[in-house]
Amino acid sequence: MADVKLHPDWLARIGGEFAQPYMAALKQFLEGERARGKAIFPRPRDWFAALDATPPRQVRVVILGQDPYHGPGQAHGLCFSVQPGVRVPPSLVNIYKEMESDLGIARARHGYLKSWASQGVLLLNNCLTVESGMAASHQGKGWEKFTDAVVAAVAADPAPKVFILWGSHAQKKAANVAGLKERELGAGSPHLVLRAPHPSPLSAHNGFFGSRPFSQANDFLAAQGRGTIDWRLPDEPGA
């Protein structure tokens, strides 16, 4: 992955990861899978799309996902987001339901979340690739170490941010990063950490619904002088 091109600010923070042995092993694994004719999602140019869309100095909110969607045409490098024209996945439907309940925003007809990323919402998956039709197929190959470094770099920056952690995978990942404690008096972290069950239909009714992450995030950002996120999505994806 020596030819990876990222925003200079990201390279300054995590560029050293590309020289680590685990990244060389990951590159070898991905090249081998592609050489065997396996379809890998998203396409290579979108592997780092979350970082490309949200440079580190712009990050105000972090949402952690698990793996990219493994169906054809879905994943494009932003967690929970799908490409224009693709049916909105069930978890994202539930996210829209909670957003409607929380902020009164009507549910979008598409699942393209690029407008969130352009406002400083880092939509980062734990693993950045997956084999077609094989959920979790690239776990344990090295991506987790890389995205751990991304989360650590974001958390180390003192500008106040909101970390939205849905489900045990995201919560366990963040638990390994110094400075990501619940915001309590004397906790020593400048960030707000919001935890809730995953929005999957299997768990959304166990506490995701009613968690009000969107209003809480905006209230915190406004209080810290960092503005707010316009969570509304344009009627047409990409507009």
Side-chain angles (χ1 to χ4, degrees), residues 75-89:
H76 65 103
L78 307 182
C79 73
F80 292 105
S81 181
V82 291
Q83 298 192 71
V86 175
R87 183 178 179 180
V88 180

Side-chain angles (χ1 to χ4, degrees), residues 116-227:
W116 291 0
S118 66
Q119 295 181 71
V121 181
L122 180 62
L123 298 168
L124 183 69
N125 274 315
N126 188 34
C127 292
L128 302 188
T129 59
V130 70
E131 181 182 341
S132 174
M134 300 289 290
S137 52
H138 289 183
Q139 289 185 6
K141 303 299 182 182
W143 280 127
E144 295 92 339
K145 292 182 180 180
F146 177 79
T147 52
D148 279 352
V150 173
V151 174
V154 173
D157 183 280
K161 303 170 192 69
V162 182
F163 289 78
I164 297 177
L165 309 177
W166 290 326
S168 60
H169 281 82
Q171 291 164 21
K172 289 176 182 177
K173 184 177 187 68
N176 293 326
V177 176
L180 289 188
K181 300 178 181 179
E182 291 89 342
R183 187 175 177 81
E184 298 174 346
L185 185 62
S189 172
H191 311 306
L192 173 66
V193 180
L194 301 175
R195 292 175 170 83
H198 195 275
S200 162
L202 297 175
S203 56
H205 289 280
N206 294 328
F208 173 77
F209 290 131
S211 60
R212 302 181 62 245
F214 307 102
S215 62
Q216 289 191 73
N218 275 351
D219 288 348
F220 174 80
L221 292 172
Q224 299 297 321
R226 300 211 68 195

Side-chain angles (χ1 to χ4, degrees), residues 6 29 38 49 146 190 197:
L6 292 178
F29 165 75
K38 293 186 178 181
F146 177 79

